[in-house]
Amino acid sequence: MKKRAILFSILAICLPIFSKLIFQHQYRLLTQSKMVELETLSPEEKECLEDLFEYFSVFDSFHFTLFGSKPVSIAHLIPTDKIQEGWKAWEKIAPLFHSENFVIRKYTFRGKDDWVLVANLVEVEKVYKANQTIFDQVCGRHITAEEFKRCLKEESPLFQTLIESHLATGILLGYGTRNAQLFAENQQLPKEKKYPLSHFSSLPPIVYWFSCAPPPYFACDPNSDETEELRKRYKRERAAIVQLTKKEPLYITMLKRLKNESVVSFAQNER
């Protein structure tokens, strides 16, 4: 009886997972044909592209940058065949998704390792204006909003300066100004003097692999007003993004958003 109970428990866990995988595969076949831009890709390239965007969503919160208020997201372009082939597929069709409001590009950090940056320039400008003094200090001089946005579009010494700063990067990633400050200060403090930070999400990203739209995952002051406001904001945005996935796979909706099609943004109008 005990073995049977264990078997039923395993089946109860695995069956929904396998059912969802089968459903996603069938749904993929139905929805991909609706995007003319994908017709230049082979079935294998389409599959790798979907895996790439799912990876970006689960581990790096790209969906909150495309649909919400998170200004920037960054992903490590890990050297696996699926991810690398997915990026090649994206580069093949990227010219068809030119956008005035979004940047998605590959860059090299400190001369090694490939990373991918996606930026929502509308949200970038908001966070720049709210933290201009900090960004000026990081860059060592005053920079305009246009110069700030431009440096995210292309490689430059200014971009590398920003990306190497824990403070500037944390703010751009939508972790909150004070949270970013505490994290940056912790990098300079001995272990016994570090601020007690917690994970913003109680569950690691991998838990959401068979779900969708996981919340951002970063270190924060769990009791601050800033963190509480971020929890409420990202919770609202995640609920809205989950609703989108009921109509079609998230990666299709993400591609449409990059194309500037009429896919709504769920970002707040005001901070």
Side-chain angles (χ1 to χ4, degrees):
M1 292 294 292
K2 186 175 181 180
K3 290 182 178 180
R4 183 178 296 180
I6 294 174
L7 178 61
F8 279 125
S9 297
I10 293 173
L11 288 173
I13 294 171
C14 294
L15 187 59
I17 292 175
F18 288 130
S19 298
K20 183 168 183 178
L21 287 174
I22 293 171
F23 173 76
Q24 286 179 333
H25 176 70
Q26 292 173 335
Y27 207 12
R28 177 192 301 165
L29 296 177
L30 289 173
T31 56
Q32 282 181 343
S33 61
K34 295 181 181 179
M35 292 199 69
V36 175
E37 293 79 7
L38 296 179
E39 293 307 307
T40 59
L41 302 179
S42 68
E44 293 77 15
E45 288 174 321
K46 291 178 185 178
E47 184 175 343
C48 289
L49 181 67
E50 179 173 2
D51 287 344
L52 177 74
F53 273 79
E54 286 184 351
Y55 164 75
F56 286 159
S57 295
V58 171
F59 293 103
D60 301 289
S61 303
F62 275 27
H63 46 292
F64 282 98
T65 296
L66 292 176
F67 301 107
S69 59
K70 193 172 184 293
V72 169
S73 290
I74 293 172
H76 185 201
L77 201 59
I78 57 176
T80 64
D81 291 342
K82 278 278 189 180
I83 297 301
Q84 293 294 325
E85 291 302 315
W87 183 253
K88 289 178 182 177
W90 165 249
E91 289 183 318
K92 188 174 178 179
I93 62 172
L96 303 175
F97 290 85
H98 176 72
S99 171
E100 295 297 327
N101 294 326
F102 296 102
V103 175
I104 177 168
R105 70 176 179 89
K106 184 169 70 173
Y107 71 91
T108 301
F109 183 60
R110 293 178 179 172
K112 60 181 182 179
D113 292 336
D114 289 330
W115 296 76
V116 173
L117 173 144
V118 60
N120 181 328
L121 297 181
V122 173
E123 297 301 318
V124 165
E125 184 166 359
K126 290 179 185 178
V127 80
Y128 163 80
K129 290 179 178 178
N131 298 276
Q132 185 174 343
T133 301
I134 292 175
F135 289 126
D136 285 351
Q137 290 174 346
V138 169
C139 296
R141 63 180 178 85
H142 172 67
I143 54 176
T144 66
E146 288 305 312
E147 186 180 7
F148 189 80
K149 290 187 291 183
R150 187 167 61 251
C151 86
L152 296 178
K153 297 180 181 180
E154 55 196 29
E155 284 297 322
S156 68
L158 179 59
F159 172 75
Q160 289 295 326
T161 297
L162 286 171
I163 215 67
E164 288 194 21
S165 165
H166 290 296
L167 176 57
T169 302
I171 294 173
L172 282 171
L173 290 173
Y175 298 163
T177 301
R178 184 55 182 160
N179 286 333
Q181 288 172 330
L182 292 175
F183 182 84
E185 289 175 22
N186 270 357
Q187 308 313 302
Q188 309 299 323
L189 295 173
K191 185 176 181 180
E192 64 275 9
K193 293 186 178 181
K194 291 182 183 293
Y195 297 102
L197 303 180
S198 300
H199 293 301
F200 181 74
S201 173
S202 58
L203 297 174
I206 189 64
V207 174
Y208 293 90
W209 185 258
F210 294 105
S211 177
C212 63
Y217 193 76
F218 58 91
C220 66
D221 176 354
N223 301 314
S224 70
D225 291 340
E226 176 183 63
T227 297
E228 181 60 24
E229 192 279 328
L230 287 171
R231 289 191 194 283
K232 292 178 180 178
R233 185 201 308 171
Y234 286 135
K235 183 178 180 180
R236 284 194 300 269
E237 292 175 5
R238 180 175 184 268
I241 293 168
V242 168
Q243 287 299 312
L244 285 179
T245 67
K246 295 181 179 180
K247 300 178 182 179
E248 57 190 355
L250 181 58
Y251 97 103
I252 291 290
T253 311
M254 291 169 74
L255 288 174
K256 289 182 176 179
R257 181 77 171 135
L258 285 169
K259 192 185 173 186
N260 276 343
E261 291 192 15
S262 55
V263 179
V264 67
S265 168
F266 301 113
Q268 292 178 304
N269 292 326
E270 300 292 339
R271 288 270 184 248

